[in-house]
Coordinates of all heavy atoms in Angstrom, one line a residue:
Chain A
S65 N 75.7 151.7 115.4 CA 76.6 150.9 114.5 C 75.9 150.7 113.1 O 74.7 150.2 113.1 CB 76.9 149.5 115.1 OG 77.6 148.7 114.3
T66 N 76.6 151.0 112.1 CA 76.0 150.8 110.7 C 77.1 150.1 109.8 O 78.3 150.1 110.1 CB 75.6 152.1 110.1 OG1 76.8 153.0 110.1 CG2 74.5 152.8 110.9
S67 N 76.5 149.5 108.8 CA 77.4 148.9 107.8 C 76.8 149.2 106.4 O 75.6 149.3 106.2 CB 77.5 147.3 107.9 OG 78.1 147.0 109.2
Y68 N 77.7 149.2 105.4 CA 77.3 149.5 104.0 C 78.0 148.6 103.0 O 79.2 148.2 103.1 CB 77.6 151.0 103.7 CG 76.9 152.0 104.6 CD1 77.5 152.4 105.7 CD2 75.6 152.4 104.3 CE1 76.9 153.3 106.6 CE2 75.0 153.3 105.1 CZ 75.6 153.8 106.2 OH 75.0 154.7 107.1
A69 N 77.3 148.4 101.9 CA 77.9 147.7 100.7 C 78.9 148.7 100.1 O 78.7 150.0 100.2 CB 76.9 147.3 99.7
D70 N 80.0 148.3 99.6 CA 81.0 149.1 98.9 C 80.3 150.1 97.9 O 80.8 151.2 97.8 CB 82.1 148.3 98.3 CG 83.0 147.6 99.3 OD1 83.0 148.0 100.5 OD2 83.8 146.7 98.9
S71 N 79.4 149.6 97.2 CA 78.8 150.4 96.1 C 78.0 151.6 96.6 O 77.8 152.5 95.8 CB 77.8 149.5 95.3 OG 76.8 149.0 96.2
V72 N 77.7 151.7 97.9 CA 77.0 152.9 98.4 C 77.7 153.6 99.5 O 77.2 154.7 99.9 CB 75.5 152.5 98.8 CG1 74.8 151.7 97.7 CG2 75.6 151.7 100.1
K73 N 78.8 153.0 100.0 CA 79.5 153.6 101.1 C 80.0 155.0 100.7 O 80.5 155.3 99.6 CB 80.7 152.7 101.4 CG 81.3 153.0 102.8 CD 82.5 152.1 103.0 CE 82.1 150.6 103.0 NZ 83.2 149.7 103.3
G74 N 79.7 155.9 101.7 CA 80.1 157.3 101.5 C 79.0 158.2 100.8 O 79.1 159.4 100.7
R75 N 78.0 157.5 100.2 CA 76.9 158.2 99.5 C 75.6 158.0 100.3 O 74.7 158.9 100.3 CB 76.8 157.7 98.1 CG 78.0 157.9 97.3 CD 77.7 157.6 95.8 NE 77.3 156.2 95.6 CZ 76.2 155.8 95.0 NH1 75.3 156.7 94.6 NH2 75.9 154.5 94.9
F76 N 75.4 156.8 100.9 CA 74.1 156.5 101.5 C 74.3 156.5 103.0 O 75.4 156.1 103.5 CB 73.6 155.1 101.1 CG 73.1 155.0 99.7 CD1 73.3 156.0 98.8 CD2 72.4 153.9 99.3 CE1 72.8 155.9 97.5 CE2 71.9 153.8 98.0 CZ 72.1 154.8 97.1
T77 N 73.3 156.9 103.8 CA 73.4 156.9 105.2 C 72.1 156.2 105.8 O 71.0 156.7 105.4 CB 73.5 158.3 105.8 OG1 74.7 158.9 105.3 CG2 73.6 158.2 107.3
I78 N 72.2 155.2 106.6 CA 71.1 154.5 107.2 C 70.9 155.1 108.6 O 71.9 155.4 109.3 CB 71.3 153.0 107.2 CG1 70.0 152.3 107.7 CG2 72.5 152.6 108.1 CD1 70.1 150.8 107.6
S79 N 69.7 155.3 109.0 CA 69.4 155.8 110.4 C 68.0 155.3 110.8 O 67.3 154.7 110.0 CB 69.5 157.3 110.4 OG 68.4 157.9 109.6
R80 N 67.8 155.5 112.0 CA 66.4 155.1 112.6 C 66.0 156.0 113.6 O 66.8 156.7 114.3 CB 66.5 153.7 113.1 CG 67.4 153.5 114.3 CD 67.7 152.0 114.6 NE 66.5 151.3 114.9 CZ 66.4 149.9 114.9 NH1 67.4 149.2 114.5 NH2 65.2 149.4 115.2
D81 N 64.7 156.1 113.8 CA 64.0 156.9 114.9 C 63.1 155.9 115.6 O 62.0 155.6 115.2 CB 63.3 158.0 114.3 CG 62.7 159.0 115.4 OD1 62.5 158.5 116.5 OD2 62.4 160.1 115.1
N82 N 63.6 155.4 116.7 CA 62.8 154.4 117.5 C 61.5 154.9 118.1 O 60.6 154.2 118.3 CB 63.7 153.7 118.5 CG 64.8 152.8 118.0 OD1 64.6 152.3 116.8 ND2 65.8 152.5 118.7
A83 N 61.6 156.2 118.4 CA 60.3 156.9 118.9 C 59.2 156.9 117.8 O 58.1 156.9 118.2 CB 60.7 158.3 119.4
K84 N 59.6 157.0 116.6 CA 58.7 157.0 115.5 C 58.6 155.6 114.8 O 57.8 155.6 113.8 CB 59.1 158.1 114.5 CG 59.0 159.5 115.0 CD 59.4 160.5 113.9 CE 59.3 161.9 114.4 NZ 59.6 163.0 113.4
N85 N 59.3 154.6 115.3 CA 59.2 153.3 114.6 C 59.5 153.4 113.1 O 58.8 152.7 112.3 CB 57.9 152.6 114.9 CG 57.6 152.3 116.3 OD1 58.5 152.1 117.1 ND2 56.3 152.3 116.7
T86 N 60.5 154.1 112.8 CA 60.8 154.4 111.4 C 62.3 154.2 111.1 O 63.2 154.7 111.8 CB 60.3 155.8 110.9 OG1 59.0 155.9 111.2 CG2 60.6 156.0 109.4
L87 N 62.6 153.5 110.0 CA 63.9 153.3 109.4 C 64.1 154.3 108.2 O 63.1 154.5 107.5 CB 64.1 151.9 109.0 CG 65.4 151.5 108.2 CD1 66.6 151.5 109.2 CD2 65.2 150.2 107.6
Y88 N 65.3 154.8 108.0 CA 65.5 155.7 106.9 C 66.7 155.3 106.1 O 67.6 154.6 106.6 CB 65.8 157.2 107.5 CG 64.7 157.7 108.3 CD1 64.8 157.8 109.7 CD2 63.6 158.3 107.7 CE1 63.8 158.3 110.5 CE2 62.5 158.8 108.5 CZ 62.6 158.8 109.8 OH 61.6 159.3 110.6
L89 N 66.8 155.8 104.9 CA 67.9 155.6 104.0 C 68.1 157.0 103.3 O 67.3 157.3 102.4 CB 67.8 154.5 103.0 CG 69.1 154.2 102.2 CD1 70.2 153.7 103.2 CD2 68.9 153.2 101.1
Q90 N 69.1 157.7 103.6 CA 69.4 159.0 102.9 C 70.4 158.6 101.8 O 71.4 158.1 102.0 CB 70.1 160.0 103.9 CG 70.5 161.3 103.2 CD 69.3 162.1 102.7 OE1 68.3 162.2 103.4 NE2 69.4 162.6 101.5
M91 N 69.9 159.0 100.6 CA 70.7 158.6 99.4 C 71.2 159.9 98.7 O 70.3 160.7 98.3 CB 69.9 157.8 98.5 CG 69.4 156.5 99.1 SD 68.5 155.4 98.0 CE 67.1 156.4 97.5
N92 N 72.5 160.1 98.7 CA 73.1 161.3 98.0 C 73.9 160.9 96.8 O 74.2 159.7 96.6 CB 73.9 162.1 99.0 CG 73.1 162.6 100.2 OD1 72.0 162.9 100.1 ND2 73.9 162.7 101.3
S93 N 74.2 161.8 96.0 CA 75.0 161.6 94.8 C 74.6 160.4 94.0 O 75.3 159.5 93.6 CB 76.5 161.4 95.2 OG 77.0 162.5 96.0
L94 N 73.3 160.4 93.7 CA 72.6 159.3 93.1 C 73.1 159.1 91.7 O 73.4 160.1 90.9 CB 71.1 159.4 93.2 CG 70.5 159.0 94.5 CD1 69.1 159.5 94.7 CD2 70.6 157.5 94.8
R95 N 73.2 157.8 91.3 CA 73.7 157.4 89.9 C 72.7 156.6 89.3 O 71.8 156.0 89.9 CB 75.0 156.6 90.1 CG 76.1 157.3 90.9 CD 77.2 156.2 91.2 NE 78.3 156.8 92.0 CZ 79.2 156.1 92.7 NH1 79.1 154.8 92.6 NH2 80.1 156.7 93.4
A96 N 72.8 156.5 88.0 CA 71.8 155.6 87.2 C 71.7 154.2 87.7 O 70.7 153.6 87.8 CB 72.1 155.6 85.7
E97 N 72.9 153.7 88.2 CA 72.9 152.3 88.6 C 72.3 152.1 90.0 O 72.2 151.0 90.5 CB 74.4 151.8 88.7 CG 75.4 152.7 89.4 CD 76.1 153.7 88.5 OE1 75.5 154.2 87.5 OE2 77.3 153.9 88.8
D98 N 71.9 153.2 90.7 CA 71.1 153.1 91.9 C 69.6 152.9 91.7 O 68.9 152.7 92.6 CB 71.3 154.4 92.8 CG 72.8 154.6 93.2 OD1 73.4 153.6 93.6 OD2 73.2 155.7 93.2

Side-chain angles (χ1 to χ4, degrees):
Chain A
S65 175
T66 58
S67 298
Y68 299 91
D70 287 345
S71 58
V72 308
K73 196 178 299 182
R75 300 188 299 122
F76 289 12
T77 301
I78 189 172
S79 63
R80 66 192 297 162
D81 186 335
N82 288 339
K84 294 183 178 179
N85 293 334
T86 303
L87 173 73
Y88 301 102
L89 186 67
Q90 177 66 43
M91 304 185 295
N92 299 331
S93 302
L94 282 163
R95 307 166 180 167
E97 54 264 37
D98 295 319

